[in-house]
Amino acid sequence: MNEHLIIGLEGTELTGQERIWLKEKPPLGVILFARNTESPEQVKALLAEVRACTGQATWAAIDEEGGRVNRMPWAPFNQRRHAAEYGVMYERNAGTAVQAVYQDSFVAGEALKELGFTHNCAPVLDLFHADGHDIIGKRAYGADVAQVAALATACMRGLHDAGIEAVGKHFPGHGRANADSHVAVPEVHAPLASILEEAEPFARLIAEGLKHVMTAHVIYTDAVKDVATVSPFWARHVLRERMGFFGSVWSDDLCMKGVGEDVPSAASAALEAGCDILLVCLPEGVRQMYARL
């Protein structure tokens, strides 16, 4: 199972235990958070050491969406607008907003590439809902499918042109959810037809070349009673069959309360449901996974 894993690391340098795991059972990739980032030189050194241990071109991912989801406290990452600000700009002048998102994502992508990253967990493809939990809020490009798709496509193209793979999230849409899936199991009570309509930005970006999609730890009560991450209905039927997606399906972080308390069980369920890539971001979750491996 290690070849499906993207794991979080404890700090700014590898621990002795992490070196052993990386050498003996290399994961597909690592994902860095604020706890892992001190300076550009340190990040470069950390990712170089990861790859020296695995002996492979191990993936390196991060969440650099802009706005409040920012892991590295230096330029250009800490000076980027919220997605919602581009949404406001789009309503005034769509072309200007699309160009601005492209430019911002390209600059961020080049900086990520320079540090040794391969993937950025962006763009957010969720629609804004005023009555949804604020966990999405300003991270959404807007409430309109066409607007979100246009701006997210610009983000994806900017990252791709800089040599960084974009990861669209959170399929099929987290905007309506009534809770934060880090700490609870959110539910969406809306007709299946509405959810599918609001998932249209995913279909549009897939048609434009999106190769990575991250699932939502959300239960869509009118569809199936399982969280989307562990539901074959969403990953296999809707994403693969209906949308014709042939890329990689990422779980959101399996340490989140949205998929329960048992990380290895959540990983098995996500894999069985159709996720190819299993995100395990917290050190304790990584320890549990490697204990099972």
Side-chain angles (χ1 to χ4, degrees), residues 203-254:
R204 294 194 190 180
L205 265 78
I206 288 164
E208 294 291 341
L210 182 67
K211 297 183 185 70
H212 304 271
V213 169
M214 185 185 293
T215 58
H217 296 335
V218 176
I219 296 173
Y220 301 87
T221 55
D222 285 29
V224 285
K225 301 304 177 203
D226 288 328
V227 166
T229 299
V230 297
S231 162
F233 174 78
W234 290 110
R236 296 189 192 280
H237 176 62
V238 180
L239 195 50
R240 295 288 191 208
E241 292 169 16
R242 290 179 69 150
M243 293 188 176
F245 180 61
F246 296 106
S248 299
V249 181
W250 295 42
S251 76
D252 202 345
D253 178 16
L254 296 167

Side-chain angles (χ1 to χ4, degrees), residues 9 22 60 71 73 80 105 107 114 117 130 139 147 184 228 231 235 239 275:
L9 303 171
L22 290 166
R71 309 300 191 206
R80 299 171 67 211
S105 300
V107 168
E114 169 66 20
F117 289 98
R139 296 166 66 194
Q147 176 174 316
S231 162
L239 195 50
C275 291

